[in-house]
Coordinates of all heavy atoms in Angstrom, one line a residue:
M1 N 11.1 1.9 -5.8 CA 10.2 2.0 -4.7 C 9.4 3.1 -4.8 O 9.7 4.2 -5.4 CB 11.1 2.1 -3.4 CG 10.2 2.0 -2.1 SD 11.2 2.2 -0.6 CE 11.0 4.0 -0.4
F2 N 8.1 3.0 -4.4 CA 7.3 4.1 -4.3 C 6.5 4.3 -3.0 O 6.6 3.2 -2.2 CB 6.3 4.2 -5.5 CG 5.5 3.0 -5.6 CD1 4.2 2.7 -5.0 CD2 6.0 1.8 -6.4 CE1 3.5 1.6 -5.1 CE2 5.3 0.7 -6.5 CZ 4.0 0.5 -5.9
V3 N 5.9 5.3 -2.7 CA 5.2 5.4 -1.4 C 3.8 6.0 -1.8 O 3.4 6.7 -2.6 CB 5.9 6.8 -0.8 CG1 5.2 7.1 0.6 CG2 7.4 6.6 -0.5
L4 N 2.9 5.4 -0.9 CA 1.5 5.8 -1.0 C 1.2 6.5 0.3 O 1.6 6.1 1.3 CB 0.5 4.5 -1.0 CG 0.7 3.5 -2.3 CD1 -0.4 2.4 -2.1 CD2 0.4 4.3 -3.7
E5 N 0.4 7.5 0.1 CA -0.1 8.2 1.3 C -1.5 7.6 1.5 O -2.4 7.9 0.8 CB -0.1 9.7 1.1 CG 1.2 10.2 1.0 CD 1.3 11.8 0.5 OE1 0.3 12.4 0.5 OE2 2.4 12.1 0.3
V6 N -1.8 7.0 2.7 CA -3.0 6.3 2.9 C -3.6 6.8 4.2 O -3.0 6.9 5.2 CB -2.6 4.7 3.1 CG1 -3.8 3.9 3.3 CG2 -1.9 4.3 1.7
S7 N -4.9 7.0 4.2 CA -5.7 7.5 5.3 C -6.4 6.4 5.9 O -6.8 5.4 5.3 CB -6.7 8.5 4.9 OG -6.2 9.6 4.0
G8 N -6.5 6.5 7.2 CA -7.5 5.5 7.9 C -6.8 4.2 8.4 O -7.4 3.3 8.7
I9 N -5.4 4.2 8.4 CA -4.7 3.1 8.9 C -4.8 3.1 10.4 O -4.1 3.6 11.2 CB -3.3 2.9 8.5 CG1 -3.2 3.2 7.0 CG2 -2.8 1.6 8.8 CD1 -1.7 3.2 6.5
G10 N -5.9 2.4 11.0 CA -6.2 2.6 12.4 C -5.4 1.7 13.4 O -5.2 2.0 14.5
C11 N -5.1 0.5 12.9 CA -4.5 -0.5 13.9 C -3.7 -1.5 13.0 O -3.5 -1.4 11.9 CB -5.7 -1.2 14.6 SG -6.7 -2.3 13.5
G12 N -3.1 -2.4 13.8 CA -2.3 -3.5 13.2 C -2.9 -4.3 12.2 O -2.4 -4.8 11.3
G13 N -4.4 -4.5 12.5 CA -5.3 -5.2 11.5 C -5.3 -4.6 10.1 O -5.2 -5.3 9.1
C14 N -5.4 -3.3 10.1 CA -5.4 -2.6 8.9 C -4.0 -2.7 8.1 O -4.0 -3.0 6.9 CB -5.4 -1.0 9.1 SG -7.1 -0.5 10.0
V15 N -2.9 -2.7 8.9 CA -1.7 -2.7 8.4 C -1.5 -4.2 7.7 O -1.0 -4.2 6.5 CB -0.5 -2.7 9.4 CG1 0.9 -3.0 8.9 CG2 -0.5 -1.2 10.0
S16 N -2.0 -5.2 8.3 CA -1.8 -6.5 7.8 C -2.7 -6.6 6.6 O -2.4 -7.3 5.5 CB -1.9 -7.7 8.8 OG -3.2 -8.0 9.1
K17 N -4.0 -6.1 6.6 CA -4.9 -6.1 5.4 C -4.3 -5.5 4.2 O -4.3 -6.0 3.2 CB -6.2 -5.3 5.8 CG -7.3 -6.3 6.0 CD -8.7 -5.6 5.7 CE -8.9 -4.3 6.6 NZ -10.3 -4.0 6.6
I18 N -3.6 -4.4 4.4 CA -3.0 -3.6 3.3 C -1.8 -4.4 2.8 O -1.7 -4.5 1.6 CB -2.6 -2.3 3.8 CG1 -3.8 -1.4 4.1 CG2 -1.6 -1.6 2.8 CD1 -3.6 0.0 4.8
T19 N -1.0 -4.9 3.7 CA 0.1 -5.7 3.3 C -0.3 -6.9 2.4 O 0.3 -7.2 1.4 CB 0.9 -6.1 4.6 OG1 1.3 -4.9 5.2 CG2 2.2 -7.0 4.1
K20 N -1.2 -7.6 2.9 CA -1.7 -8.9 2.2 C -2.2 -8.5 0.9 O -2.0 -9.3 -0.1 CB -2.7 -9.6 3.1 CG -2.0 -10.4 4.1 CD -3.0 -11.2 5.1 CE -2.4 -11.8 6.2 NZ -3.2 -11.9 7.4
A21 N -3.0 -7.5 0.8 CA -3.7 -7.2 -0.4 C -2.6 -6.8 -1.5 O -2.7 -7.1 -2.6 CB -4.6 -5.9 -0.2
I22 N -1.6 -6.0 -1.1 CA -0.5 -5.7 -2.0 C 0.2 -6.9 -2.5 O 0.6 -7.2 -3.5 CB 0.5 -4.6 -1.4 CG1 -0.3 -3.3 -1.2 CG2 1.6 -4.4 -2.3 CD1 0.5 -2.2 -0.5
Q23 N 0.4 -7.8 -1.5 CA 1.2 -9.1 -1.8 C 0.3 -10.0 -2.6 O 0.9 -10.9 -3.3 CB 1.8 -9.7 -0.5 CG 2.9 -8.8 0.0 CD 3.5 -9.3 1.3 OE1 2.8 -10.0 2.0 NE2 4.8 -8.8 1.6
S24 N -1.0 -9.8 -2.6 CA -1.9 -10.7 -3.5 C -1.6 -10.3 -5.0 O -1.8 -11.1 -5.8 CB -3.2 -10.6 -3.0 OG -3.8 -9.4 -3.4
L25 N -1.3 -9.0 -5.2 CA -0.9 -8.5 -6.6 C 0.5 -9.0 -6.9 O 0.6 -9.3 -8.1 CB -1.0 -7.0 -6.6 CG -2.2 -6.2 -6.7 CD1 -1.8 -4.7 -6.8 CD2 -2.9 -6.5 -7.8
D26 N 1.4 -8.9 -6.0 CA 2.8 -9.3 -6.2 C 3.4 -9.9 -5.0 O 3.6 -9.2 -4.0 CB 3.5 -7.9 -6.6 CG 5.0 -8.2 -6.7 OD1 5.5 -9.3 -6.6 OD2 5.8 -7.3 -6.8
N27 N 3.4 -11.2 -5.1 CA 3.9 -11.9 -3.9 C 5.4 -11.7 -3.6 O 5.9 -12.1 -2.5 CB 3.5 -13.4 -3.9 CG 4.3 -14.1 -5.0 OD1 5.2 -13.6 -5.7 ND2 3.9 -15.4 -5.3
Q28 N 6.1 -11.0 -4.4 CA 7.5 -10.7 -4.1 C 7.6 -9.2 -3.5 O 8.7 -8.8 -3.1 CB 8.4 -10.7 -5.3 CG 8.3 -11.8 -6.2 CD 9.1 -13.0 -5.8 OE1 9.3 -13.2 -4.5 NE2 9.8 -13.6 -6.8
A29 N 6.4 -8.4 -3.4 CA 6.5 -7.1 -2.9 C 6.9 -7.0 -1.5 O 6.7 -7.9 -0.7 CB 5.1 -6.5 -3.0
T30 N 7.7 -6.1 -1.3 CA 8.1 -5.6 0.2 C 7.2 -4.4 0.6 O 7.2 -3.4 -0.2 CB 9.5 -5.4 0.2 OG1 10.3 -6.4 -0.3 CG2 9.9 -5.1 1.7
V31 N 6.6 -4.6 1.6 CA 5.7 -3.5 2.0 C 6.1 -3.0 3.5 O 6.2 -4.0 4.3 CB 4.2 -4.0 2.1 CG1 3.2 -2.9 2.5 CG2 3.8 -4.6 0.7
S32 N 6.2 -1.8 3.7 CA 6.5 -1.3 5.0 C 5.6 -0.2 5.3 O 5.5 0.9 4.5 CB 8.0 -1.0 5.2 OG 8.3 0.3 5.3
V33 N 4.8 -0.2 6.4 CA 3.9 0.7 6.7 C 4.2 1.6 7.9 O 4.6 1.0 8.9 CB 2.4 -0.1 7.0 CG1 1.3 1.0 7.4 CG2 2.0 -0.9 5.9
D34 N 4.1 2.8 7.7 CA 4.4 3.8 8.8 C 3.0 4.3 9.2 O 2.5 5.2 8.5 CB 5.4 4.8 8.3 CG 5.6 5.8 9.4 OD1 4.9 6.0 10.4 OD2 6.6 6.6 9.3
R35 N 2.4 3.7 10.1 CA 1.0 4.0 10.5 C 0.9 5.4 10.9 O -0.1 6.1 10.5 CB 0.5 3.0 11.6 CG -0.9 3.0 11.8 CD -1.3 1.6 12.4 NE -0.7 1.2 13.6 CZ -1.4 1.6 14.8 NH1 -2.3 2.4 14.8 NH2 -0.8 1.2 15.8
A36 N 1.8 5.8 11.8 CA 1.7 7.2 12.3 C 1.8 8.3 11.2 O 1.0 9.2 11.2 CB 2.8 7.5 13.4
A37 N 2.6 8.1 10.3 CA 2.7 9.0 9.1 C 1.7 8.7 8.0 O 1.5 9.6 7.1 CB 4.0 9.0 8.6
G38 N 1.0 7.6 8.1 CA 0.1 7.3 7.0 C 0.7 7.1 5.7 O 0.3 7.4 4.6
K39 N 1.9 6.4 5.7 CA 2.7 6.2 4.5 C 3.0 4.7 4.4 O 3.3 4.0 5.4 CB 4.0 6.9 4.5 CG 3.9 8.5 4.4 CD 5.1 9.1 4.1 CE 5.1 10.6 4.2 NZ 4.2 11.3 3.2
V40 N 2.8 4.2 3.3 CA 3.1 2.9 2.9 C 4.3 2.9 1.8 O 4.0 3.3 0.7 CB 1.8 2.1 2.4 CG1 2.1 0.7 2.0 CG2 0.7 2.2 3.5
N41 N 5.3 2.2 2.1 CA 6.5 2.2 1.3 C 6.4 0.7 0.6 O 6.2 -0.3 1.3 CB 7.7 2.2 2.0 CG 7.9 3.6 2.7 OD1 8.1 4.7 2.0 ND2 7.8 3.6 4.0
V42 N 6.5 0.8 -0.8 CA 6.3 -0.5 -1.5 C 7.5 -0.6 -2.4 O 7.8 0.3 -3.3 CB 5.0 -0.4 -2.4 CG1 4.7 -1.7 -3.0 CG2 3.8 -0.2 -1.5
E43 N 7.9 -1.8 -2.4 CA 9.0 -2.2 -3.4 C 8.4 -3.3 -4.2 O 8.1 -4.4 -3.7 CB 10.2 -2.8 -2.5 CG 11.4 -3.2 -3.4 CD 12.2 -1.9 -3.6 OE1 12.7 -1.3 -2.7 OE2 12.4 -1.6 -4.9
S44 N 8.1 -3.0 -5.5 CA 7.2 -4.0 -6.2 C 7.5 -3.6 -7.7 O 7.8 -2.4 -8.1 CB 5.8 -4.0 -5.9 OG 5.0 -4.6 -6.8
N45 N 7.3 -4.6 -8.6 CA 7.4 -4.3 -10.0 C 6.0 -3.9 -10.5 O 5.8 -3.6 -11.6 CB 7.8 -5.6 -10.8 CG 9.3 -5.8 -10.5 OD1 10.1 -4.9 -10.4 ND2 9.6 -7.0 -10.5
E46 N 4.9 -4.1 -9.6 CA 3.6 -3.6 -10.0 C 3.6 -2.1 -10.1 O 4.4 -1.4 -9.5 CB 2.6 -4.0 -8.9 CG 2.0 -5.4 -9.1 CD 1.2 -5.5 -10.3 OE1 0.7 -4.4 -10.9 OE2 1.0 -6.5 -10.8
S47 N 2.7 -1.6 -10.9 CA 2.6 -0.2 -11.1 C 2.0 0.5 -9.9 O 1.2 0.0 -9.2 CB 1.8 0.3 -12.3 OG 0.4 0.0 -12.0
P48 N 2.5 1.7 -9.5 CA 2.1 2.3 -8.3 C 0.5 2.6 -8.4 O -0.3 2.4 -7.4 CB 2.6 3.7 -8.3 CG 4.0 3.4 -9.1 CD 3.6 2.4 -10.1
E49 N 0.0 2.8 -9.5 CA -1.5 3.0 -9.8 C -2.3 1.7 -9.4 O -3.3 1.7 -8.7 CB -1.8 3.5 -11.2 CG -3.3 3.8 -11.3 CD -4.0 4.7 -10.3 OE1 -3.3 5.6 -9.8 OE2 -5.2 4.3 -10.0
R50 N -1.9 0.6 -9.8 CA -2.5 -0.6 -9.5 C -2.4 -0.9 -8.0 O -3.4 -1.3 -7.4 CB -2.0 -1.8 -10.3 CG -2.4 -2.0 -11.6 CD -2.1 -3.3 -12.2 NE -3.0 -4.3 -11.6 CZ -2.9 -5.7 -11.7 NH1 -1.8 -6.1 -12.2 NH2 -3.7 -6.4 -11.2
V51 N -1.4 -0.7 -7.4 CA -1.2 -0.8 -6.0 C -2.2 0.1 -5.2 O -2.8 -0.3 -4.3 CB 0.2 -0.8 -5.5 CG1 0.3 -0.7 -4.0 CG2 1.1 -1.9 -6.1
R52 N -2.1 1.3 -5.6 CA -3.0 2.4 -5.0 C -4.4 1.9 -5.2 O -5.2 2.0 -4.2 CB -2.8 3.8 -5.8 CG -3.5 4.8 -5.0 CD -3.7 6.1 -6.0 NE -4.8 5.8 -6.9 CZ -6.1 5.7 -6.8 NH1 -6.5 5.9 -5.6 NH2 -6.8 5.3 -7.7
S53 N -4.9 1.5 -6.3 CA -6.3 1.1 -6.3 C -6.7 -0.1 -5.6 O -7.8 -0.1 -5.0 CB -6.8 1.0 -8.0 OG -6.1 0.0 -8.5
I54 N -5.8 -1.1 -5.4 CA -6.2 -2.2 -4.5 C -6.4 -1.8 -3.0 O -7.2 -2.1 -2.3 CB -5.3 -3.5 -4.7 CG1 -6.1 -4.7 -4.3 CG2 -4.0 -3.3 -4.0 CD1 -5.5 -6.0 -4.6
V55 N -5.5 -0.9 -2.7 CA -5.6 -0.4 -1.3 C -6.8 0.4 -1.2 O -7.5 0.4 -0.1 CB -4.2 0.6 -0.9 CG1 -4.4 1.3 0.3 CG2 -2.9 -0.3 -0.9
E56 N -7.1 1.3 -2.2 CA -8.3 2.1 -2.1 C -9.6 1.1 -2.0 O -10.5 1.5 -1.3 CB -8.3 3.0 -3.3 CG -9.5 4.1 -3.0 CD -9.1 5.5 -3.3 OE1 -8.0 5.9 -2.9 OE2 -9.9 6.1 -4.0
A57 N -9.6 0.1 -2.8 CA -10.6 -0.8 -2.8 C -10.9 -1.5 -1.4 O -12.1 -1.9 -1.1 CB -10.4 -2.0 -3.8
L58 N -9.9 -1.5 -0.6 CA -10.2 -2.0 0.8 C -10.7 -1.0 1.7 O -11.1 -1.2 2.9 CB -8.8 -2.3 1.5 CG -8.0 -3.5 0.9 CD1 -6.6 -3.6 1.6 CD2 -8.6 -4.8 1.1
G59 N -10.9 0.2 1.2 CA -11.6 1.3 1.9 C -10.6 2.4 2.5 O -11.1 3.2 3.4
F60 N -9.4 2.3 2.0 CA -8.5 3.3 2.6 C -8.2 4.3 1.5 O -7.4 4.0 0.5 CB -7.1 2.7 3.0 CG -7.3 1.6 4.1 CD1 -7.4 0.2 3.8 CD2 -7.3 1.9 5.5 CE1 -7.5 -0.7 4.7 CE2 -7.4 1.1 6.4 CZ -7.5 -0.3 6.1
P61 N -8.6 5.5 1.7 CA -8.3 6.6 0.7 C -6.8 6.7 0.5 O -6.0 6.8 1.4 CB -8.9 7.8 1.1 CG -10.0 7.3 2.2 CD -9.4 6.1 2.7
S62 N -6.3 6.7 -0.8 CA -4.8 6.6 -1.1 C -4.5 7.5 -2.2 O -5.2 7.7 -3.2 CB -4.5 5.1 -1.4 OG -5.1 4.2 -0.6
K63 N -3.4 8.0 -2.0 CA -2.7 8.7 -3.2 C -1.3 8.3 -3.3 O -0.7 8.0 -2.3 CB -3.0 10.2 -3.2 CG -2.5 10.9 -2.1 CD -2.8 12.3 -2.2 CE -2.0 13.2 -1.1 NZ -2.2 14.6 -1.2
I64 N -0.8 8.5 -4.6 CA 0.6 8.2 -4.7 C 1.5 9.3 -4.4 O 1.3 10.5 -4.7 CB 0.9 7.9 -6.2 CG1 0.1 6.7 -6.6 CG2 2.4 7.7 -6.5 CD1 -0.1 6.4 -8.1
G65 N 2.4 9.0 -3.3 CA 3.2 10.2 -2.7 C 4.5 10.5 -3.7 O 4.7 9.6 -4.5
I66 N 5.2 11.4 -3.2 CA 6.3 11.7 -4.0 C 7.7 11.3 -3.2 O 7.6 11.6 -1.9 CB 6.5 13.2 -4.3 CG1 5.1 13.7 -4.8 CG2 7.6 13.6 -5.2 CD1 4.9 15.1 -4.5
Ligands
CU101 CU1 -7.4 -1.4 11.7

């Protein structure tokens, strides 16, 4: 599992956009979004960097958390 720190998750629509985008890379991915904390927890075989870049391509500045 890895965590992305994501800015600008304003509403539930953003949460579902982000979730769907990650699942389009890996349909087995488990995604859980903590909107208040700006953290997206991802369980996936995809690399954190690929997941980060697809989230960023949606317009959400993202970095890989620790
Ligand atoms: Cu939104």
